[in-house]
Amino acid sequence: MPTWDPTQYLRFADQRTRPLHELLARVPDLPPAPTVLDIGCGPGNSTAVLRARWPDAAITGIDTSAEMLATARTAEGEPTASYLLADAAVHDPAPAAPDLIASNATLQWVDGHLDLLPRWAAALRPGGVIAFQVPGNFDRPSHTLLADLRRSPRWRAALGDDPVRAGVPEPDAYLETLLAAGCTADVWETTYLTLLPGPDPVLEWTKGTALRPVLALLPDPAERAAFLAEYAALLREAYPAGPYGTVFPFRRIFAVGVRG
């Protein structure tokens, strides 16, 4: 399990949180003082968005990272929420009887996460909602270059070529799964042309997410620096800086399911 760095993750907090705002805009009205689970809450930036939308909600943020939860409990996150150190893959939401289960860019880390959705739907109160968004850019250079570099002769022994993240299915799989679970479903996708500032910004972006499991396999600082230098050079070629910054196309998949 990688060690997560809340500070690195929050370097691009606005860009990472924007899809959540757009996801929650499609969530129908909830009862007064709803019960909300934020599964994969990270450093609490998503929890703060949920609090702003439902000020009287009983919100519980759930994450596997103690480092992330420590930040979530501070003013950088959402200190009025409750938090639980738990794995989304095994956590049972049923005892909470939630009105909303929200998940912001988490399910891509969970193998077989389509199997979670019927269980989550069954845990909801009648009329309750599942709302999640996941990255859909695993075929983009940010990921394919990383996979190719891991398999290169220099790095194969240390890093291997096993997948370091589960990835996601296509949107139609989410639609079918939510419908089969007895939900009405709204599924869509958006590609953001994210403009990133500064030197090597795509490298800095991936340091907060996709690179974490890889770097965990390189404890030696010199080896880690050498790997990052190679990866950075590849990213600079794939995502050249322009006069206004570096354009980073980022596809996101969104789903909202309402229990019938």
Side-chain angles (χ1 to χ4, degrees):
M1 180 65 64
T3 299
W4 293 94
D5 183 344
T7 301
Q8 184 69 34
Y9 183 86
L10 290 172
R11 285 191 60 176
F12 301 100
D14 289 345
Q15 295 93 332
R16 295 191 191 281
T17 306
R18 177 184 172 185
L20 179 62
H21 287 282
E22 298 182 11
L23 173 71
L24 297 183
R26 305 288 280 271
V27 172
D29 291 339
L30 300 179
T35 297
V36 176
L37 300 184
D38 182 8
I39 296 184
C41 64
N45 55 315
S46 58
T47 320
V49 174
L50 291 165
R51 174 64 72 206
R53 174 73 184 272
W54 293 284
D56 298 323
I59 303 176
T60 300
I62 298 164
D63 205 274
T64 59
S65 168
E67 297 87 358
M68 288 291 204
L69 290 179
T71 298
R73 293 185 175 98
T74 71
E76 292 184 75
E78 172 41 56
T80 68
S82 300
Y83 291 98
L84 178 65
L85 183 68
D87 187 343
V90 297
H91 176 70
D92 181 8
D99 297 291
L100 171 64
I101 297 175
S103 183
N104 185 52
T106 294
L107 290 178
Q108 73 274 12
W109 295 104
V110 181
D111 282 310
H113 62 259
L114 284 176
D115 295 336
L116 292 179
L117 300 181
R119 180 155 59 86
W120 288 5
L124 295 169
R125 294 178 184 175
V129 182
I130 298 169
F132 62 89
Q133 68 88 11
V134 290
N137 64 334
F138 298 99
D139 60 350
R140 302 297 297 168
S142 55
H143 289 79
T144 59
L145 291 172
L146 179 58
D148 290 344
L149 186 58
R150 291 185 68 199
R151 290 191 291 263
S152 67
R154 178 173 182 183
W155 299 108
R156 187 183 299 119
L159 301 178
D161 57 5
D162 293 333
V164 296
R165 60 195 301 163
V168 299
E170 288 300 304
D172 61 337
Y174 292 118
L175 178 68
E176 293 169 9
T177 301
L178 288 170
L179 292 173
C183 296
T184 59
D186 181 11
V187 178
W188 72 100
E189 64 179 79
T190 297
T191 297
Y192 297 92
L193 297 183
T194 306
L195 191 65
L196 300 180
D200 291 326
V202 180
L203 177 69
E204 294 302 317
W205 179 286
T206 59
K207 279 182 181 179
T209 52
L211 266 176
R212 302 309 302 177
V214 179
L215 296 181
L217 299 174
L218 292 172
D220 179 75
E223 289 285 281
R224 181 178 294 197
F227 181 85
L228 288 175
E230 286 192 50
Y231 183 45
L234 294 171
L235 291 176
R236 284 194 294 272
E237 184 175 354
Y239 301 98
Y244 306 107
T246 299
V247 177
F248 182 41
F250 205 121
R251 177 181 179 235
R252 299 273 182 172
I253 300 170
F254 301 79
V256 175
V258 181
R259 181 182 175 186

